[in-house]
């Protein structure tokens, strides 16, 4: 029954007949098994599109309704809550929760027992929604609301909020992370250490390391005990916000905070925290690996080597200084606990162009009994390939193949070497891999493409299956040839589609997996997107459209690729049509709230800043009034409808195009658009002095404009009146000649002090002090030259 839940369908020709009780209901155990099947890991952990992962509802109507497995599980949960269509066995020996049930009148005026629900049933459905996209988080709140409003359901516990915090942390949604904590406090939920670690990890994923530190410091070594009842709610005598101090950090708590410090390269704080873990006996293998990552991120390679010297687990299970022997078992069937740390150090040396030291780390691993894994070999092969050391890279591939396949020659073990071969292909086909042979031009790139194709043939000879990443890299390399070799790329995909096809899977695996997601095919979304880019470089827009139409459910990356291909081929009108076909805010909003809307209107794609950058750049290059107005409307739609803010690339694209023609023909609408973009750019992260350069460029153009719009704009006026008046009065010609910095000693007659001359409301007697009148600026200048005392001999009659 669990295997066939996805295949349930109702024929339109069947006539539904009402069955008498109890045959008109399904046993409770069957509903529970279906609920566990729909929320299982085999179904829930596959991220695919809605249309390819859907279930047909059992509804006695002509309208076909398709829903996701999570929605189907939620409907089952609703039945378990209401008891409609659920058959309970009153003679069951395990009917211990009879006192917690209550009766309810059904449509047939029969009373039915509502049994006490298990919290795990709610949490399974909640976790199923939380594992989906961010747009489905509103459905997760429906599960919590159902549990909260059902009288015979268990109260909300820290487990439910831990699931929410983990999901929002994964999506870096700071606002909802805070709202989840507030909601837990209002419901009086006593946090446990799991919820604490989830919140700590959410803060770190959101980039709020300071908040994570404050939360960690709130856990006092000693605190006042409180009473918590069996339901998990807090006693009324203690405030919920004070309960964080009652928790005690464990190893996971320390390692989570250590991970946040490692991501930003805070090696000093990481070392202090590690010393505290050492004193409390909480140091483990993860601590060593994370601390090494912090040192490598901070480019403190010597500190990383010292950590590995003192805290590497030896083969016989002994440790270096400061380690806890509680979890120090090293199993031969698994990787060494510290191989991740050595790989991190090796990769750090490789990315810093210190290949000799990277090789030295490999030798050090062999000396200390740390066997490299496929990730270690992948980092080393990629480093050699990026530095044009193909001979050493291929030698390393051969050594890795021999070592890994010596332990097991199964197909699954062989396929673990595919990323290693992909690293070699990516290294030799990268654009800067031939920097020392740049004079050879396309001939060098063509030679690298030929060598990459030879590597793929070697993979097949070793029975190592190329995957989608392998094919995508080859298509990109063939597409960057001059001219692009698109037909060869297509033939390669068709050849590998049949040679790498897996054997016929079982019926169960066919249900649970998406056969097109990981299989080499022209309809694969990643491969089709790479083909679109290649056709775009070749200006073959018809073939690009065909590749785009092969994708069952295109995403925003594929949409951006086809838009770029249209713009490269001077098909801007076609690009705008594709944009209007797949991008609609109203349909996207309806798609979130109603899955049936997807089947009616098709997949609606949410654009990103790259989407609008592609279209706005193409429109502005036309240099026409109509195109500029369309670009302005797209820019406003991006910000106001989709809440997408520009990045530095879009800002530079707009400013470069708008200012390239100078002030001539710069109309009021163009001025307003340029000022809006420049103002939006003030909130972006720029390198030192870069934003000021763009402000000066805009200011130099506005000064030469005859329009009065910029003079009445508050932001534009701010460009002319900065804190430093010398910068405000700078003129490009004056800066070039240096006239603003040198006092020539000459004044325009009556010019004088600018500040005093502009103060028209000042009275001459306001400056009278000690019997001396405050002369005007012109008189003070004449007085300094002694010209006021000269009698010219002329008088006015």
């Amino acid at each position: 029954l669990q295997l066939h839940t996805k295949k349930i369908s109702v024929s339109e020709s069947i006539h539904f007949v009402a069955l008498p009780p109890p045959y008109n209901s399904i046993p409770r155990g069957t509903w529970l098994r279906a609920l566990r099947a729909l929320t299982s890991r085999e179904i829930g952990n596959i991220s695919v599109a809605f249309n390819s992962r859907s279930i047909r509802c059992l509804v006695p109507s002509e309208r076909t309704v398709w829903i996701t497995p999570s929605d189907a599980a939620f409907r089952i949960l609703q039945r378990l809550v209401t008891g409609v269509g659920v058959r309970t066995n009153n003679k069951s020996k395990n009917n211990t929760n009879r006192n917690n049930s209550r009766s309810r009148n059904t449509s047939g005026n029969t009373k039915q027992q509502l049994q006490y629900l298990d919290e795990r049933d709610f949490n399974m459905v909640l976790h199923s929604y939380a594992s989906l996209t961010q747009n489905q988080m509103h459905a997760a709140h429906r599960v919590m609301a159902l549990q909260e409003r059902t009288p015979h359901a268990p109260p909300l516990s820290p487990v439910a909020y831990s699931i929410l915090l983990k999901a929002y942390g994964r999506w870096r949604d700071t606002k909802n992370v805070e709202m989840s904590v507030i909601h837990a406090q209002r419901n009086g939920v006593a946090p446990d250490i799991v919820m604490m670690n989830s919140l700590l990890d959410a803060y770190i994923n959101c980039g709020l390391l300071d908040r994570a530190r404050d939360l960690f410091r709130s856990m006092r070594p000693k605190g006042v005990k409180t009473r918590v009842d069996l339901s998990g709610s807090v006693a009324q005598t203690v405030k919920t916000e004070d309960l964080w101090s009652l928790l005690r950090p464990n190893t996971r708590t320390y390692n989570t905070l250590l991970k946040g410090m490692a991501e930003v390269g805070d090696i000093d704080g990481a070392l202090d925290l590690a010393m505290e873990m050492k004193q409390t006996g909480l140091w483990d293998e993860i601590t060593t690996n994370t601390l090494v990552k912090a040192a490598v991120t901070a480019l403190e390679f010597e500190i990383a080597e010292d950590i590995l010297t003192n805290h590497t687990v030896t083969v016989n299970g002994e440790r270096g200084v400061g380690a806890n022997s509680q979890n120090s078992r090293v199993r031969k069937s698994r990787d060494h606990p510290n191989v991740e740390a050595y790989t991190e150090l090796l990769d750090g040396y490789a990315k810093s162009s210190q290949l000799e030291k990277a090789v030295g780390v490999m030798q050090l691993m062999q000396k200390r009994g740390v066997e490299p894994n496929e990730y270690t070999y992948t980092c080393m092969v990629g480093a050699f390939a990026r530095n044009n050391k193909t001979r050493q890279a291929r030698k390393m591939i051969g050594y890795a193949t021999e070592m890994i396949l010596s332990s097991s020659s199964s197909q699954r073990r062989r396929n673990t070497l595919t990323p290693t071969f992909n690293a070699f292909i990516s290294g030799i086909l990268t654009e800067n891999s031939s920097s020392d042979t740049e004079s050879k031009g396309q001939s060098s790139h063509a030679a690298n493409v030929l060598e990459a194709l030879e590597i793929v043939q070697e993979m097949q000879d070793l029975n190592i299956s190329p995957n989608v990443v392998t094919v995508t890299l080859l298509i990109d390399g063939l597409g960057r040839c001059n001219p692009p070799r698109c037909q060869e790329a297509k033939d390669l995909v068709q050849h590998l589609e049949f040679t790498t096809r897996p054997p016929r899977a079982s019926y169960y695996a066919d249900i649970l997996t998406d056969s097109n997601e990981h299989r080499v095919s022209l309809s694969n979304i990643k491969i089709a997107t790479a083909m679109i880019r290649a056709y775009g470089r070749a200006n073959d827009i018809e073939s690009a459209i065909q590749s785009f139409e092969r994708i069952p459910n295109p995403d925003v990356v594929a949409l951006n690729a086809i838009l770029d291909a249209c713009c490269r081929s001077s098909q801007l009108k076609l690009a705008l049509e594709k944009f209007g076909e797949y991008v609609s805010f109203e349909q996207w909003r309806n798609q979130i709230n109603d899955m049936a809307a997807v089947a009616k209107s098709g997949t609606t794609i949410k654009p990103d800043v790259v989407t609008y950058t592609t279209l706005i750049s193409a429109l502005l290059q036309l240099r026409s009034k109509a195109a500029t107005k369309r670009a302005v409307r797209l820019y406003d739609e991006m910000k106001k409808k989709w809440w997408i803010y520009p990045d530095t690339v879009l800002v530079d694209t707009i400013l470069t195009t708008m200012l390239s023609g100078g002030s001539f023909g710069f109309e009021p609408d163009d001025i307003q658009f340029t000022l809006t973009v420049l103002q939006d750019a003030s909130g972006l992260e720029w390198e030192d002095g870069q934003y000021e350069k763009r402000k000066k460029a805009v200011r130099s153009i506005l000064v030469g404009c005859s329009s009065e719009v910029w003079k009445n704009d508050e932001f534009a006026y701010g460009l002319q009146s900065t804190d430093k008046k010398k910068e405000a009065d700078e003129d490009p010609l004056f800066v070039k000649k240096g006239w603003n910095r040198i006092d020539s000693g000459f004044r325009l007659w009556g010019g004088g002090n600018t500040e005093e001359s502009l103060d028209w409301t000042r009275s001459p007697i306001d400056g009278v002090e000690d019997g001396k009148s405050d002369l005007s600026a012109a008189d003070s200048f004449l007085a300094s030259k002694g010209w006021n005392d000269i009698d010219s001999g002329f008088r006015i009659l």
Side-chain angles (χ1 to χ4, degrees):
L1 178 61
Q2 297 180 31
L3 304 182
H4 292 274
T5 51
K6 287 188 87 262
K7 296 298 183 179
I8 294 176
S9 62
V10 180
S11 176
E12 296 180 358
S13 60
I14 295 178
H15 298 283
F16 290 88
V17 179
L19 297 177
Y23 305 104
N24 61 346
S25 59
I26 299 176
R28 177 183 174 85
T30 304
W31 285 118
L32 291 175
R33 292 186 185 93
L35 179 67
R36 286 168 174 78
L38 292 170
T39 57
S40 62
R41 180 178 301 178
E42 288 78 6
I43 290 182
N45 66 349
I46 302 175
S47 177
V48 292
F50 293 144
N51 292 341
S52 60
R53 302 286 296 166
S54 55
I55 301 173
R56 187 176 182 181
C57 293
L58 270 171
V59 290
S61 63
E62 297 181 357
R63 185 172 61 94
T64 302
V65 179
W66 295 89
I67 59 176
T68 62
S70 300
D71 290 334
F74 180 71
R75 294 195 176 191
I76 294 177
L77 185 63
Q78 287 178 318
R79 285 186 173 271
L80 293 173
V81 169
T82 59
V84 178
V86 180
R87 186 193 312 168
T88 58
N89 187 5
N90 296 329
K91 298 181 180 180
S92 176
K93 297 180 180 179
N94 298 324
N95 193 12
T96 58
N97 296 321
R98 186 183 300 272
N99 295 329
N100 294 327
S101 62
R102 63 174 186 173
S103 61
R104 177 179 180 269
N105 292 328
T106 60
S107 59
N109 296 326
T110 60
K111 292 187 177 180
Q112 194 174 22
Q113 296 291 335
L114 294 181
Q115 295 189 356
Y116 191 78
L117 300 173
D118 194 345
E119 180 189 1
R120 292 173 296 181
D121 298 334
F122 289 91
N123 291 338
M124 284 190 298
V125 181
L126 178 64
H127 183 268
S128 178
Y129 278 123
S131 301
L132 298 177
T133 61
Q134 189 177 7
N135 299 332
Q136 295 295 317
M137 287 305 297
H138 71 283
H141 286 278
R142 287 192 305 171
V143 178
M144 297 187 66
L146 178 64
Q147 181 179 355
E148 188 176 5
R149 297 171 184 175
T150 303
H152 56 283
L156 293 173
S157 68
V159 179
Y161 288 100
S162 298
I163 296 174
L164 275 186
L165 291 172
K166 184 178 180 181
Y168 284 127
R170 184 172 63 252
W171 297 111
R172 294 175 173 83
D173 192 343
T174 306
K175 179 180 178 181
N176 282 304
V177 168
E178 298 289 356
M179 291 299 297
S180 299
V181 177
I182 295 174
H183 191 270
Q185 293 177 353
R186 290 176 179 175
N187 288 339
V189 176
D192 57 3
I193 191 62
V194 177
M195 181 177 173
M196 165 73 177
N197 293 338
S198 300
L199 179 58
L200 198 67
D201 187 64
Y203 280 148
I204 290 174
N205 291 335
C206 294
L208 303 176
L209 182 58
D210 293 336
R211 297 291 300 274
R213 284 195 179 103
D214 295 339
L215 180 63
F216 180 80
R217 283 193 291 264
S218 66
M219 304 172 69
R220 300 290 190 271
K222 294 182 180 180
V224 182
K225 295 183 179 181
T226 183
R227 178 177 57 84
V228 180
D229 57 21
L230 296 179
S231 63
S233 60
V234 189
Q236 298 296 329
T237 56
V238 181
K239 294 182 178 181
T240 310
E241 54 269 19
D242 298 334
L243 291 176
W244 300 111
S245 60
L246 304 178
L247 301 175
R248 297 295 171 266
N250 56 12
T251 304
R252 189 178 185 87
T253 309
Y254 279 98
N255 288 334
T256 302
L257 182 60
L258 200 62
K259 181 190 73 172
M261 296 179 179
E263 291 177 355
V264 299
D266 185 8
I267 183 60
D268 295 331
L271 289 174
D272 294 339
L273 188 64
M275 289 301 298
E276 184 178 345
M277 296 182 65
K278 178 182 175 181
Q279 295 174 358
T280 55
L282 297 177
W283 190 300
D284 62 355
E285 295 89 353
I286 300 178
T287 306
T288 303
N289 299 338
T290 311
L291 195 59
V292 169
K293 181 180 179 180
V296 172
T297 305
L299 300 180
E300 297 289 347
F301 299 116
E302 295 182 358
I303 297 179
E305 292 183 356
D306 293 339
I307 295 170
L308 290 174
T309 301
N310 297 325
H311 298 280
T312 299
V313 178
T314 57
V315 176
N316 57 5
E318 298 177 356
R319 284 174 174 262
V321 180
N324 184 9
S325 60
Q326 182 179 359
N327 299 318
S328 62
R329 302 172 184 174
V330 181
R331 302 176 183 178
K332 295 182 180 179
S333 60
R334 300 178 60 183
D335 293 336
H336 191 281
N338 298 127
V339 67
E340 180 182 344
Y342 281 93
T343 303
E344 190 76 34
L345 178 59
L346 182 149
D347 189 50
Y349 277 132
K351 291 180 179 178
S352 301
S353 300
Q354 303 182 40
L355 293 181
E356 295 182 357
K357 292 188 175 181
V359 175
V361 174
M362 290 279 293
Q363 298 173 350
L364 187 63
M365 293 174 66
Q366 183 179 6
K367 180 180 178 181
R368 295 178 178 175
V370 181
E371 183 178 354
N373 57 13
E374 57 271 17
Y375 302 103
T376 312
Y377 293 120
T378 299
C379 293
M380 201 70 247
V381 169
F384 281 134
R386 288 192 301 269
N387 290 273
N388 298 312
K389 298 184 180 297
T390 57
R391 184 178 61 84
Q392 293 89 332
R394 302 195 70 162
K395 185 177 179 181
M396 182 64 66
I397 289 178
Y399 180 75
T401 304
E402 179 182 357
M403 295 299 296
I404 291 180
L405 297 183
S406 61
S407 58
S408 175
S409 59
S410 62
Q411 187 60 42
R412 184 176 182 180
R413 186 64 174 171
R414 289 179 181 272
N415 291 339
T416 58
L417 287 169
T418 303
T420 306
F421 285 87
N422 291 344
F424 178 81
I425 297 174
S426 176
I428 63 176
L429 294 182
T430 187
E431 295 181 0
N432 58 355
S433 62
S434 305
S435 57
D436 55 344
T437 59
E438 188 176 357
S439 59
K440 297 182 181 180
Q442 282 293 327
S443 61
S444 176
H445 179 73
N448 291 337
V449 170
L450 181 61
E451 188 169 6
L453 294 174
E454 293 177 356
I455 283 291
V456 174
Q457 185 61 45
E458 290 183 11
M459 294 176 63
Q460 292 184 304
D461 295 339
L462 294 171
N463 200 17
I464 300 174
S465 301
N467 57 13
V468 174
V469 178
T470 312
V471 179
T472 303
L473 291 172
L474 291 174
I475 294 174
D476 185 69
L478 291 170
R480 286 192 286 108
C481 293
N482 191 13
R485 299 156 61 177
C486 298
Q487 186 60 41
E488 293 184 40
K490 183 179 180 180
D491 295 339
L492 176 65
V493 176
Q494 292 176 339
H495 171 71
L496 294 178
E497 182 177 359
F498 293 97
T499 58
T500 62
R501 176 174 293 181
R504 178 67 179 173
S506 62
Y507 176 71
Y508 180 67
D510 196 19
I511 293 176
L512 297 181
T513 58
D514 183 8
S515 58
N516 189 43
E517 184 182 7
H518 304 288
R519 184 167 59 87
V520 176
S521 172
L522 286 173
S523 60
N524 182 279
I525 186 170
K526 295 180 181 179
I527 295 177
T529 302
M531 290 296 302
I532 293 172
R533 294 195 185 101
Y535 285 127
R537 296 188 183 100
N539 293 328
D540 188 356
I541 189 60
E542 294 182 0
S543 299
I545 293 294
Q546 292 177 2
S547 297
F548 183 76
E549 292 176 350
R550 290 192 185 100
I551 304 175
N553 298 282
D555 57 2
V556 66
V557 180
L559 178 64
N560 294 340
I562 192 62
L563 294 181
D564 181 70
C566 293
C567 295
R568 284 174 178 264
S569 304
S570 301
Q571 297 288 338
L572 180 57
K573 182 179 180 180
L574 181 60
L576 293 174
E577 291 178 356
K578 287 293 180 183
F579 177 79
E581 179 181 356
Y582 286 92
V583 177
S584 174
F585 180 77
E586 289 75 14
Q587 293 182 6
W588 175 79
R589 182 177 55 188
N590 296 334
Q591 176 179 301
I592 295 177
N593 300 325
D594 186 9
M595 286 300 304
V598 181
K600 294 180 180 180
S601 60
T603 303
T604 301
I605 302 175
K606 180 182 179 180
D608 58 6
V609 67
V610 179
T611 310
Y612 285 96
T613 300
T614 304
L615 295 177
I616 292 176
S617 175
L619 286 169
L620 293 179
Q621 289 176 2
L622 297 179
R623 299 184 181 279
S624 65
K625 294 182 179 180
T628 303
K629 291 182 179 179
R630 183 67 181 271
V632 173
R633 289 199 302 268
L634 285 176
Y635 188 82
D636 293 338
E637 174 187 310
M638 178 187 70
K639 291 197 312 177
K640 297 178 181 179
K641 277 192 175 182
W642 294 99
W643 285 52
I644 300 175
Y645 290 93
D647 58 358
T648 56
V649 177
L650 178 56
V651 170
D652 285 345
T653 300
I654 296 176
L655 293 183
T656 301
T657 308
M658 297 297 292
L659 303 180
S660 60
S663 59
F664 179 75
F666 216 45
E667 297 186 354
D669 293 339
D670 301 333
I671 297 175
Q672 188 64 44
F673 179 49
T674 304
L675 293 175
T676 301
V677 174
L678 183 63
Q679 189 173 7
D680 294 338
S682 61
L684 302 177
E685 295 182 359
W686 299 89
E687 295 182 0
D688 294 339
Q690 293 299 318
Y691 181 66
E692 295 298 327
K693 290 182 179 179
R694 286 152 180 80
K695 287 175 62 177
K696 292 180 181 179
V698 174
R699 182 171 56 211
S700 63
I701 297 297
L702 294 181
V703 169
C705 293
S706 59
S707 174
E708 298 291 331
V709 174
W710 69 271
K711 299 178 182 179
N712 299 325
D713 187 89
E714 183 178 355
F715 178 74
Y717 180 77
L719 296 178
Q720 301 295 326
S721 56
T722 57
D723 295 337
K724 296 182 179 180
K725 291 184 177 296
K726 183 170 62 176
E727 292 183 1
D729 296 332
E730 275 185 343
D731 184 270
L733 180 62
F734 275 42
V735 174
K736 181 178 180 180
K737 300 298 182 179
W739 293 343
N740 286 356
R741 300 184 181 90
I742 301 176
D743 185 4
S744 62
F746 294 96
R747 300 285 193 277
L748 293 177
W749 191 265
N753 193 327
T754 305
E755 294 182 359
E756 295 180 356
S757 61
L758 292 178
D759 194 0
W760 302 104
T761 60
R762 187 175 180 182
S763 174
I765 62 175
D766 290 342
V768 178
E769 184 179 0
D770 297 334
K772 298 180 180 180
S773 65
D774 186 13
L775 299 176
S776 67
D779 290 342
S780 61
F781 174 73
L782 295 175
S784 64
K785 301 298 182 180
W787 294 344
N788 286 345
D789 298 331
I790 297 177
D791 187 3
S792 62
F794 294 97
R795 297 290 187 273
I796 298 178
L797 296 178

